[in-house]
């Protein structure tokens, strides 16, 4: 009996605490415990953020969210040309919306040409990329010329309705368009799933963590470079420039140097059976300087890498090094191990 009375007393006190905690018009202030204040202060600061600061804080938080990479494709037959117009675009905002009936969604940038094409065709396919499909992820993230067939070098088939289906994908969702609407700087598309293909082989999906809100292709590329999963055939001179441009844009020249050096050495080690010449300190530092100089000279801080490269075509000139160095200087062993200043003309 005493035990029952004790329990009732404790419950009564707990109920009184709950009432005062959740239903009192003026709940007591929490104690000024250091831990409580540490948790409370950042929240209060974020509540006072301006709209611009809120956008930046949102981007920072979203960098912690892993993103699934998909490619959305559609196709339209052009009777006057007797050919198919096939388009695709890389997206990282894909999710299931409903299981019964099956509906999925993805987002496109406002103004995307694929948006207008899907409005016309009323159909599209969503491809979940595998980890070894980095090349496709980068390829479909780049703007395509009107005269260019994006699928010319991409292994694919076309279904009866003309949808280009990328081979090797982990899964493919064939959809009829359900609806779409604009939200902020994106258009959200919804699709009724009418067909599904699932790979029978087990591969990891292509996923990346957002570093900076640049093009999806840059995010995929840098993640593949850092994990040394970038296909070696894609490790071209342009890829070296793209890597340097991303790091310097993100961190500034001085802080980017260790990322670039260690990244190249790590990638070379992973591909040592394919590397012919190995790491070269003078060549690396030479291009870091020229890429940094071109970035500083840019009038558009938000330009894409493709725009940067168009504006700085000198960086892809295969004879650029020899405008600054004699071959004898550049190919000596000392230049491989430490930076040697140019001996033909000074750096800009």
């Amino acid at each position: 009996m005493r035990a029952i009375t004790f329990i009732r007393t404790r419950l009564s006190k707990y109920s009184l605490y709950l009432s005062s905690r959740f239903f009192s018009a003026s709940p007591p202030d929490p104690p000024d415990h250091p831990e409580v204040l540490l948790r409370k202060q950042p929240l209060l600061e974020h509540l006072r953020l301006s709209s611009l600061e809120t956008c930046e804080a949102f981007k920072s938080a979203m960098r912690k969210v892993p993103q699934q990479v998909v490619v959305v494709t559609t196709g339209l037959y052009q009777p006057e040309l007797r050919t198919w117009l096939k388009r695709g675009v890389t997206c990282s905002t894909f999710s299931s919306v409903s299981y019964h009936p099956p509906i999925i969604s993805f987002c496109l940038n406002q103004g995307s040409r694929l948006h207008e094409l899907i409005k016309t065709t009323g159909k599209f396919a969503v491809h979940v990329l595998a980890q070894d499909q980095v090349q496709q992820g980068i390829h479909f993230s780049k703007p395509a010329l009107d005269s260019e067939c994006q699928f010319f070098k991409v292994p694919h088939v076309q279904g009866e309705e003309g949808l280009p289906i990328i081979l090797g994908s982990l899964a493919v969702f064939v959809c009829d368009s359900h609806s779409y609407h604009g939200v902020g700087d994106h258009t959200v598309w919804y699709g009724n799933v009418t067909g599904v293909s699932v790979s029978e082989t087990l591969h990891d999906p292509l996923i990346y963590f957002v570093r900076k809100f640049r093009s999806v292709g840059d995010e995929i590329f840098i993640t593949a470079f850092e994990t040394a999963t970038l296909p070696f055939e894609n490790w071209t001179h342009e890829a070296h420039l793209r890597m340097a441009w991303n790091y310097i844009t993100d961190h500034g020249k001085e802080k980017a140097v260790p990322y670039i050096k260690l990244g190249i050495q790590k990638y070379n080690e992973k591909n040592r059976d394919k590397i012919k010449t190995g790491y070269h300190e003078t060549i690396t530092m030479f291009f870091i300087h020229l890429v940094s100089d071109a970035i500083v000279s840019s009038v558009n801080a938000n330009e894409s890498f493709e725009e940067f490269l168009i504006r700085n075509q000198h960086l892809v000139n295969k004879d650029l090094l020899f405008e600054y160095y004699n071959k004898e200087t550049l190919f000596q062993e000392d230049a491989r191990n430490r930076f040697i200043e140019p001996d033909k003309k000074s750096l800009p």
Side-chain angles (χ1 to χ4, degrees):
M1 190 67 180
R2 288 180 179 176
I4 294 174
T5 303
F6 173 74
I7 291 172
R8 284 177 178 169
T9 303
R10 292 293 299 272
L11 287 174
S12 177
K13 290 181 178 179
Y14 186 66
S15 299
L16 182 61
Y17 167 76
L18 289 176
S19 298
S20 64
R21 175 68 179 85
F22 293 104
F23 300 105
S24 172
S26 301
D29 292 331
D32 290 338
H33 190 280
E35 185 179 351
V36 174
L37 292 175
L38 283 172
R39 291 198 305 264
K40 182 180 177 183
Q41 187 62 28
L43 176 62
L44 293 176
E45 290 175 358
H46 280 298
L47 290 175
R48 292 192 291 267
L49 293 177
S50 68
S51 58
L52 179 59
E53 290 172 324
T54 301
C55 287
E56 291 304 314
F58 172 73
K59 290 179 182 180
S60 178
M62 285 302 297
R63 290 172 197 152
K64 309 298 182 182
V65 181
Q67 306 288 323
Q68 175 67 63
V69 181
V70 301
V71 171
V72 181
T73 65
T74 192
L76 175 68
Y77 185 69
Q78 300 172 304
E80 68 281 2
L81 300 176
R82 295 183 180 181
T83 187
W84 283 89
L85 173 62
K86 296 179 286 187
R87 292 292 185 198
V89 67
T90 303
C91 304
S92 62
T93 47
F94 165 74
S95 65
S96 63
V97 176
S98 168
Y99 286 115
H100 303 287
I103 298 175
I104 56 90
S105 73
F106 66 91
C107 295
L108 291 175
N109 285 325
Q110 292 280 7
S112 169
R113 289 181 297 175
L114 190 70
H115 171 74
E116 295 301 322
L117 194 56
I118 294 176
K119 283 172 63 177
T120 302
T121 64
K123 301 179 184 299
F124 55 85
V126 180
H127 304 73
V128 179
L129 297 188
Q131 193 175 51
D132 61 357
Q133 290 182 297
V134 173
Q135 185 172 355
Q136 285 90 328
I138 297 172
H139 173 71
F140 286 104
S141 70
K142 297 179 181 179
L145 300 175
D146 289 333
S147 58
E148 175 188 359
C149 176
Q150 286 181 291
F151 290 83
F152 180 65
K153 295 183 179 180
V154 177
H156 71 286
V157 296
Q158 269 186 278
E160 294 180 1
E161 297 177 333
L163 290 176
I165 305 299
I166 301 170
L167 299 177
S169 302
L170 288 184
V172 181
F173 301 87
V174 177
C175 304
D176 290 335
S177 61
H178 175 283
S179 58
Y180 65 88
H181 63 273
V183 178
D185 55 5
H186 279 68
T187 299
V188 184
W189 272 93
Y190 299 91
N192 293 312
V193 179
T194 59
V196 177
S197 173
V198 181
S199 172
E200 295 181 355
T201 57
L202 293 176
H203 291 293
D204 291 329
L206 182 58
I207 294 176
Y208 73 95
F209 282 93
V210 178
R211 297 154 47 84
K212 295 287 185 183
F213 274 57
R214 300 193 207 293
S215 75
V216 175
D218 283 315
E219 307 297 349
I220 298 170
F221 170 81
I222 286 295
T223 300
F225 169 70
E226 291 178 342
T227 57
T229 56
L230 181 73
F232 187 73
E233 59 269 23
N234 294 114
W235 188 226
T236 60
H237 176 62
E238 182 178 318
H240 281 74
L241 295 175
R242 186 184 194 121
M243 175 270 296
W245 176 84
N246 271 277
Y247 282 128
I248 295 170
T249 304
D250 283 355
H251 304 288
K253 179 184 176 182
E254 298 306 319
K255 292 183 178 179
V257 168
Y259 286 98
I260 295 171
K261 287 184 177 182
L262 293 176
I264 293 175
Q265 293 171 26
K266 177 182 175 182
Y267 188 86
N268 286 355
E269 176 62 24
K270 184 70 177 290
N271 294 276
R272 59 182 179 274
D273 57 323
K274 307 180 186 72
I275 295 290
K276 294 181 179 179
T277 57
Y279 178 79
H280 197 293
E281 176 74 7
T282 297
I283 294 177
T284 299
M285 291 303 300
F286 171 79
F287 279 104
I288 287 176
H289 182 92
L290 289 195
V291 171
S292 177
D293 179 69
I295 291 172
V296 171
S297 303
S298 174
V299 294
N300 179 10
N302 296 316
E303 69 181 353
S304 67
F305 173 71
E306 287 74 22
E307 292 169 333
F308 169 81
L309 209 57
I310 290 171
R311 194 174 52 79
N312 295 281
Q313 280 293 299
H314 65 286
L315 294 175
V316 296
N317 178 4
K318 64 180 181 179
D319 296 321
L320 180 62
L321 269 167
F322 305 114
E323 292 179 13
Y324 291 82
Y325 289 93
N326 286 299
K327 290 185 179 181
E328 295 77 14
T329 302
L330 196 61
F331 294 144
Q332 62 178 302
E333 190 62 25
D334 195 31
R336 181 179 298 278
N337 298 317
R338 69 180 183 89
F339 177 65
I340 303 293
E341 291 283 349
D343 56 356
K344 290 179 73 173
K345 69 176 184 178
S346 300
L347 291 170

